Amino acid sequence: MQLQEICLRLQTLLPPVHARLDSIIARYAPILNPAFGEDRYAQLLALFAIDRMETNKLRSAEKLINKLEPRCKTDAEKALWHVLVGLYCWANDNMDTMAAFFDNAAALGHDYHYPHMLSGEYFLLSSRQYEKALAEYDRAIDCIYKFPPLDERSRYVIAQAQSAMSLALSMMRRVDEAAAMLEKASSASDSMEYLHASAILSALRKDEDAANAALADLEKLHPELCKDVAAHVHLILEGTHIHFFPREVPKELPADFWAWFRTQEATIQSLLDKDDTDGCTSILAGHINELVPDEEDMMTAGFEITDNQPELILSACYSRSYARMIDAIAAACPDDIRARYRITLRP
């Protein structure tokens, strides 16, 4: 037994580490369980790689992932390695590369639908890109159907994905479609995904009893998630949720935004000359979140280059309140700035 394996084994004896690793095993079981059945050291490398990422020790995580790669022989082990690299890219905000590695993992078989479930969760709950969330959950389902047999476990996962899709549709205010999708997912009615979607959808349909029933069941499964969902449900039922009920645009917001933009334009142009649209996006998104009442959702902003012209993109993430704000900001754009930048609004 090599020294590093001994060190990893000793760390598992520490109560806080042991608890974190148990949580990782529970959450990532679909991709962890098929891999490295007899290779305890490889199992530890995978577990600690995820733990390092979740505790923001990314350089350590990278080293562990690199040590794991040569030990990957089977499809299950290669799939797990690709997932780990995808998670590492996620932790580094490199979403395009994340998606590529998750795709590679999923291509190895139906048991590896899980990367698309992870991507869907990221787009649904973290970045609130609901179209992308729907697409990723769809891909997870396609992955399962592609590799028969379709057993009870697979059907349950499909229902979990459909539950998450229902939530995405609710956030896009496509309530009838959300209800139809949730009805398809009834076989996973005891899952966190279903109960989360059911609570939000019931609130949107003004069915307070059904929303509270879903919350009561969700609390038994995941008290912390329930607390967050309950806050959303309360705001929806009282008609004050910033996402679903439009608020007035702060009077000075449009003029303040463009006044600030002028002070940053030289820096932005310098970054654009280097094709650093990510740097421009970072500057813009940071300021947007200072200007707007960011309670639960994010109004996002970014830069792209389209047909050799810089494009300033404002997105409301389907929030009715933020949609009003980006409309007002775009309408107030000075003519000289509009001549230099394409202004694009997204739902």
Side-chain angles (χ1 to χ4, degrees):
M1 187 183 299
Q2 56 184 290
L3 181 60
Q4 186 172 7
E5 181 176 357
I6 293 171
C7 291
L8 292 179
R9 285 179 181 269
L10 288 174
Q11 287 183 60
T12 64
L13 300 177
L14 298 172
V17 176
H18 186 79
R20 294 203 307 267
L21 296 183
D22 276 350
S23 174
I24 289 168
I25 290 169
R27 286 182 286 124
Y28 291 91
I31 201 74
L32 287 170
N33 285 345
F36 303 114
E38 302 300 325
D39 190 343
R40 178 59 177 164
Y41 180 46
Q43 294 171 2
L44 289 172
L45 287 173
L47 287 173
F48 276 97
I50 297 172
D51 180 64
R52 297 292 190 264
M53 285 185 273
E54 293 191 345
T55 53
N56 204 34
K57 298 172 183 174
L58 300 184
R59 292 188 66 182
S60 176
E62 183 180 11
K63 291 177 182 178
L64 294 170
I65 292 169
N66 289 338
K67 286 180 179 293
L68 183 65
E69 184 179 14
R71 307 179 81 94
C72 299
K73 308 301 181 185
T74 68
D75 282 351
E77 292 157 6
K78 293 173 185 176
L80 173 57
W81 184 82
H82 279 90
V83 169
L84 293 177
V85 178
L87 291 171
Y88 177 80
C89 296
W90 183 341
N92 282 281
D93 290 324
N94 188 345
M95 296 302 120
D96 290 338
T97 308
M98 175 200 78
F101 275 95
F102 281 177
D103 284 348
N104 291 339
L108 290 163
H110 76 280
D111 277 341
Y112 317 122
H113 64 274
Y114 193 59
H116 293 311
M117 298 287 279
L118 287 173
S119 293
E121 180 182 337
Y122 169 79
F123 290 126
L124 176 59
L125 301 179
S126 298
S127 67
R128 298 176 178 88
Q129 298 180 67
Y130 301 118
E131 297 97 335
K132 290 185 176 181
L134 289 173
E136 287 300 321
Y137 286 118
D138 241 345
R139 294 174 77 183
I141 293 170
D142 287 345
C143 189
I144 294 172
Y145 277 121
K146 186 178 178 180
F147 298 93
L150 192 63
D151 57 19
E152 184 176 349
R153 179 179 68 87
S154 298
R155 292 183 188 280
Y156 188 84
V157 174
I158 289 171
Q160 287 178 297
Q162 290 169 330
S163 299
M165 293 170 77
S166 174
L167 178 59
L169 290 165
S170 288
M171 299 307 292
M172 296 167 78
R173 304 191 303 277
R174 292 158 58 177
V175 174
D176 290 342
E177 292 174 72
M181 185 64 71
L182 196 63
E183 188 173 345
K184 291 181 182 179
S186 59
S187 62
S189 60
D190 60 346
S191 70
M192 289 187 293
E193 294 86 354
Y194 184 95
L195 295 169
H196 186 174
S198 178
I200 296 297
L201 179 62
S202 297
L204 289 173
R205 301 173 98 181
K206 304 299 182 186
D207 189 341
E208 185 172 358
D209 289 341
N212 287 332
L215 289 173
D217 289 338
L218 182 58
E219 186 173 24
K220 298 171 188 174
L221 291 178
H222 199 309
E224 282 302 310
L225 175 61
C226 180
K227 183 178 179 181
D228 181 62
V229 176
H232 286 280
V233 166
H234 175 73
L235 292 172
I236 293 169
L237 288 172
E238 70 175 17
T240 60
H241 198 295
I242 193 169
H243 186 91
F244 297 101
F245 302 95
R247 297 184 184 176
E248 293 300 318
V249 178
K251 186 177 179 181
E252 304 301 324
L253 173 65
D256 285 350
F257 175 80
W258 293 114
W260 168 85
F261 188 86
R262 288 191 187 280
T263 69
Q264 300 297 312
E265 194 169 2
T267 301
I268 288 171
Q269 188 57 56
S270 175
L271 291 170
L272 289 174
D273 289 343
K274 302 172 187 175
D275 291 327
D276 186 2
T277 54
D278 287 343
C280 296
T281 294
S282 179
I283 292 171
L284 188 60
H287 186 66
I288 280 285
N289 288 325
E290 292 176 5
L291 283 178
V292 301
D294 188 7
E295 295 177 5
E296 298 294 345
D297 301 289
M298 286 178 62
M299 184 171 88
T300 62
F303 266 101
E304 294 179 7
I305 300 293
T306 306
D307 298 330
N308 295 319
Q309 184 180 15
E311 182 178 17
L312 194 165
I313 301 167
L314 299 172
S315 174
C317 292
Y318 288 90
S319 165
R320 282 194 163 126
S321 295
Y322 293 159
R324 279 189 173 183
M325 293 179 197
I326 64 174
D327 285 346
I329 288 173
C333 180
D335 290 342
D336 64 309
I337 294 178
R338 193 180 296 276
R340 294 191 292 276
Y341 301 90
R342 177 178 298 172
I343 312 295
T344 299
L345 306 183
R346 291 181 179 170

